[in-house]
Amino acid sequence: MPSHSPDAIIIGAGIIGASICWKLARAGLRVTLLDAGTVGGEASWAGAGMLAPGGEVETRDIWLDLALESQRMYPAYVAELEAESGVSIDYRRCGAVEIAFDDTECQALTSRAALQRPLGIPSQPMDRSDLHRMVPAFDRDAAGAFFYPGDAMVDPRDITRALRTASSAASVEIREGWRAARIDLSADAVRVENSRGDALHAAAAVLAAGAWSSEIAVSGITLPELPRAFPVKGHLTGYQLSPRTLGPILRRGHTYLLQRSSGFTIAGTSTEHVGFDRSVDAQVVRDITARAGELLPALEGERVVAAWAGFRPAADSPGPVSQRAADSRLWLAYGHYRNGILLAPVTADRISREITGTA
Ligand SMILES: Cc1cc2nc3c(=O)[nH]c(=O)nc-3n(C[C@H](O)[C@H](O)[C@H](O)COP(=O)(O)OP(=O)(O)OC[C@H]3O[C@@H](n4cnc5c(N)ncnc54)[C@H](O)[C@@H]3O)c2cc1C
């Protein structure tokens, strides 16, 4: 291996790869961070930023353990990142309100909340006055509502901006527009090559290319088949409202609303199995807008000022793919699907401690 080689190469500079990179650099490793596009330019740019096990998990499985652990880690992760980067991060533990419009929805919410409480996801039923006090903008009747005090939100674009600054300050070499095509493994090293034939060598590498992770060939030593990564497209839309018009996240089924501190308010979402189609579909945007208006009638007169789509990194595996590839020098960190913003701190902590041998 050339003497100027880094200790570790991270392939993919989304929130997952960039968080692992930052942790490794803080531990004193020389790290090169590669991205086919730009740092934080894909799913981690598109994501809404709900840190909300309450809206996502209702069974005891690997997602639950990781979600709760990462939720606990978030305040320190944000504080350290702000301190080291000087970038201010829009993070709030605002809670979430889950709304039911009729008795059937209300029963479903009540049973779900009862399943979640013993799992460590607390919630409280709300009456009409609680609801109007907590969400004055909610100007319609509800059959029921539950408050999830632990849920929070963050602007993931702030996080990736901060990760970039903090990593640069820690001497990470960042190469954008560098699309890895092949990873060659030997017993104690990794070689990463792009489509132009340029190659980098290191003692360890992390495959964190999100929905694209399976496009990169892995060869050299025999490994069990790696879980397949694939994209699940999601649209979001945005409104510019006055700041503090919405406190907690508001949810009903697959529709949600959350507000950044600036007042920018995000409505979501869709779940589409259409491969890497980047187009913004006007019909899907209309559907989200209609559902958002039904959830919060105050939005009906408001103009949609932004609409965008991104690719959630799904994988053929029971949980996110966050592990060493057998006993090779390659670690896998992809498949975080709908929860990669939430799961960044726990993934970075676990993978970086395995690589540095402090796990
Ligand atoms: C609409 C939507 C809403 C979401 N809302 C939430 C939410 O509220 N809360 C939450 O926790 N999660 C949410 N998510 C999911 C979350 O955004 C993702 O799980 C997370 O961003 C995944 O991060 P990542 O770093 O794995 O992937 P990405 O951010 O996609 O990063 C992968 C990087 O790899 C790079 N890359 C690809 N191929 C190569 C290659 N060959 N060589 C080098 N680099 C390569 C890409 O350019 C990209 O920058 C949402 C996602 C979407 C789309």
Side-chain angles (χ1 to χ4, degrees), residues 15-16 19 51-53 62-78 91 150 152 336 339-350:
I15 194 168
I16 298 294
S19 295
L51 310 173
I62 181 70
W63 292 100
L64 173 77
D65 297 340
L66 292 174
L68 293 181
E69 191 177 342
S70 214
Q71 189 187 39
R72 282 192 293 274
M73 293 170 93
Y74 237 95
Y77 168 79
V78 166
Y91 165 74
H336 294 78
N339 288 295
I341 310 301
L342 170 61
L343 298 181
V346 71
T347 307
D349 185 65
R350 289 187 178 194

Side-chain angles (χ1 to χ4, degrees), residues 29 79 81 86 101 109 134 145 154 265 334 358:
L29 271 64
L81 204 41
F101 278 2
L109 275 195
M134 208 172 275
V154 72
T265 302
Y334 59 85
T358 54

Side-chain angles (χ1 to χ4, degrees), residues 92 134-137 241-248 259-265:
R92 269 182 305 130
M134 208 172 275
V135 197
L241 307 182
S242 305
R244 291 184 295 279
T245 43
L246 200 59
Q259 188 174 54
R260 305 261 187 257
S261 297
S262 64
F264 187 68
T265 302

Side-chain angles (χ1 to χ4, degrees), residues 76-137:
Y77 168 79
V78 166
E80 284 167 8
L81 204 41
E82 282 187 323
E84 289 185 22
S85 66
V87 172
S88 148
I89 296 172
D90 190 10
Y91 165 74
R92 269 182 305 130
R93 195 167 160 199
C94 51
V97 172
E98 190 106 31
I99 307 268
F101 278 2
D102 57 35
D103 289 344
T104 313
E105 286 181 9
C106 195
Q107 269 166 19
L109 275 195
T110 308
S111 342
R112 187 158 173 263
L115 281 175
Q116 289 174 322
R117 268 183 225 117
L119 301 177
I121 304 176
S123 63
Q124 298 130 23
M126 301 170 82
D127 63 21
R128 181 183 288 231
S129 69
D130 294 332
L131 187 53
H132 286 282
R133 184 176 41 76
M134 208 172 275
V135 197

Side-chain angles (χ1 to χ4, degrees), residues 10-18 34-52 56 74 154 156 160 175 178-181 207-213 215-216 232-236 256 258 268-270 278 308-313 333-344:
I10 315 294
I11 305 164
I15 194 168
I16 298 294
L34 306 175
D35 200 282
T38 55
V39 175
E42 291 288 355
S44 305
W45 174 87
M50 289 180 294
L51 310 173
E56 293 287 327
Y74 237 95
V154 72
T160 51
R175 296 200 187 191
W178 208 103
R179 181 179 294 278
L207 175 53
W212 296 267
S213 295
E215 292 185 350
I216 302 168
V232 178
K233 183 175 175 180
H235 281 74
L236 294 175
Y256 57 77
L258 67 144
T269 183
S270 61
R278 287 190 181 276
W308 66 96
F311 302 115
R312 302 179 187 97
Y334 59 85
H336 294 78
Y337 192 39
R338 310 167 65 92
N339 288 295
I341 310 301
L342 170 61
L343 298 181

